Amino acid sequence: MSTFFSRKAYMLLLALFTLFVGVDCASAQDDEIAKTTLVKVGDVAPDFTVTMFDGEQLTLSKLKGKVVLVNFWATWCPPCREELTHVEKEIIEAFEGKDFVFLPISRGEKRETVEKFRKKMGYSFPMGLDPDQSIFNKFASNYIPRNFLIGKDGRIAYISVGFDEAEFQALIAEIKKAL
């Protein structure tokens, strides 16, 4: 009986330790993400002009009056790749015909790298290129994927970092709310 109690007590202590350490790690990670986020919800989104994959130039301020989802990603980033697999059906097709623009911007990569990735994945939706990270650096200094939802008024309505199903569904809910 004492062995059973000891094992039970050990498991309880281990679970509590893991819970508290996990909370501390998550809190530290949240603090680090906050420190690297250069804009906040409610701020006017920094203006930029991005060269799209097809060579077109797109300026954010010219999209005022539409809801814009700026998504920073990279081909080497597993969470970015996972997020992009959901985008076509759950965002692009879902909001087609609405005052909405999905604007994925490849951070820090050459056009050739993005081109190979697009072919491999079969993506045909528009993508922006930010090889020197000058656009990304107006919004954040680290961590991708990052989403900045910009309302029709040109202000940041929602920010997310990373990818998981709950985060992605919250992002979709925020897009619906902004529309």
Side-chain angles (χ1 to χ4, degrees), residues 1-13:
M1 188 70 160
S2 65
T3 306
F4 174 76
F5 178 76
S6 298
R7 194 173 287 160
K8 210 172 178 184
Y10 173 76
M11 294 303 286
L12 178 62
L13 286 172

Side-chain angles (χ1 to χ4, degrees), residues 46-58:
D47 199 20
F48 60 85
T49 298
V50 61
T51 300
M52 302 302 290
F53 184 77
D54 65 4
E56 178 188 355
Q57 297 280 307
L58 192 110

